[in-house]
Amino acid sequence: MRRAFLLSLASVLALAACEPPQPLHLGTDGKPLPKLYRIDPADTAAIQYRMLDSVNRLRAVAGIPPLTLSPLLNAAAATHSRDMSVQNRPWHFGSDGSSPLDRVRRVGYPGQMKGENISETFENEVETLSAWMAQTDTRAVIMDPSARDLGFAWYQEPSGKIWWTLLTGG
C-alpha cells in the first residue's frame, strides 16, 4: 500500500511539472533565483479543484473515499489564511483567539471539523500538498477516512508569500 501511495504522490508531482521550460535566471551567487508563484484571483476555482483532484487521487490509491469541495469550509479557510498574514505567523488560532472549530461553526458548516493544515510559503499548491504529505500529522488530516468535505483557500501578500489553509470535515 505504501508503494502505491508513493507512486500516486509521484504522479501528482509529475503532473505539476508539465509546464513548458522557463529560462533560468541566476542570482549574483550563480544559483537559480526562485520563481515567484503569483496567483491570479480568476484562478481561484481552478486551484481549489486542482487541490481537490490531487487529494482525491492520493486517497483513491489508499482506498479512502473521495472528498467534496465545500464552499463553507473554503470560506473558513480563506478567513484564516488572511488572519495568519495579519498575525504574521502560521498557527491554528485566530487573532481573536478562535480555534479551527470556532471558524467552521461561524461559517455555518453543518458537519464536524476533522482537521486543519496550514502553511506559510512561496510554493504553489502542489508543492504545498507534497510537503503536507511528507509529514505524519498533516498527512493524517488529508488521509482521514472519516472526512467527507474539503475546504482550501489562501491569502497571497504583495511580496508573493502565500498563507495556505486546508480544512477537512465530515
Side-chain angles (χ1 to χ4, degrees):
M1 177 175 303
R2 183 170 172 88
R3 180 183 168 129
F5 167 76
L6 291 174
L7 287 173
S8 179
L9 182 58
S11 68
V12 168
L13 293 175
L15 286 174
C18 293
E19 293 181 3
Q22 301 293 322
L24 188 61
H25 299 285
L26 302 177
T28 56
D29 60 359
K31 295 182 180 178
L33 293 172
K35 183 179 185 285
L36 180 62
Y37 179 63
R38 183 66 63 189
I39 300 174
D40 185 326
D43 293 334
T44 297
I47 292 170
Q48 288 173 324
Y49 279 102
R50 190 163 41 245
M51 177 60 81
L52 177 68
D53 291 344
S54 297
V55 165
N56 282 340
R57 274 188 227 111
L58 294 168
R59 290 171 64 92
V61 168
I64 303 170
L67 300 177
T68 302
L69 196 61
S70 166
L72 294 173
L73 292 178
N74 286 345
T79 299
H80 190 56
S81 293
R82 172 76 183 216
D83 193 46
M84 285 190 295
S85 172
V86 169
Q87 297 180 74
N88 196 33
R89 63 179 170 177
W91 76 322
H92 294 281
F93 294 95
S95 56
D96 62 355
S98 62
S99 71
L101 291 169
D102 296 328
R103 290 188 297 278
V104 166
R105 280 190 211 118
R106 284 181 190 162
V107 297
Y109 179 71
Q112 179 184 23
M113 198 272 309
K114 297 292 183 176
E116 178 181 71
N117 288 344
I118 57 173
S119 182
E120 166 197 19
T121 185
F122 287 88
E123 296 175 332
N124 67 35
E125 67 279 359
V126 176
E127 293 166 322
T128 301
L129 175 59
S130 179
W132 284 335
M133 292 301 291
Q135 299 296 317
T136 304
D137 57 341
T138 51
R139 181 177 53 246
V141 169
I142 294 165
M143 303 301 281
D144 181 351
S146 69
R148 295 293 176 258
D149 298 315
L150 175 89
F152 181 65
W154 58 90
Y155 176 75
Q156 186 167 34
E157 296 179 352
S159 69
K161 183 191 292 186
I162 307 169
W163 301 85
W164 300 102
T165 304
L166 178 143
L167 286 164
T168 57

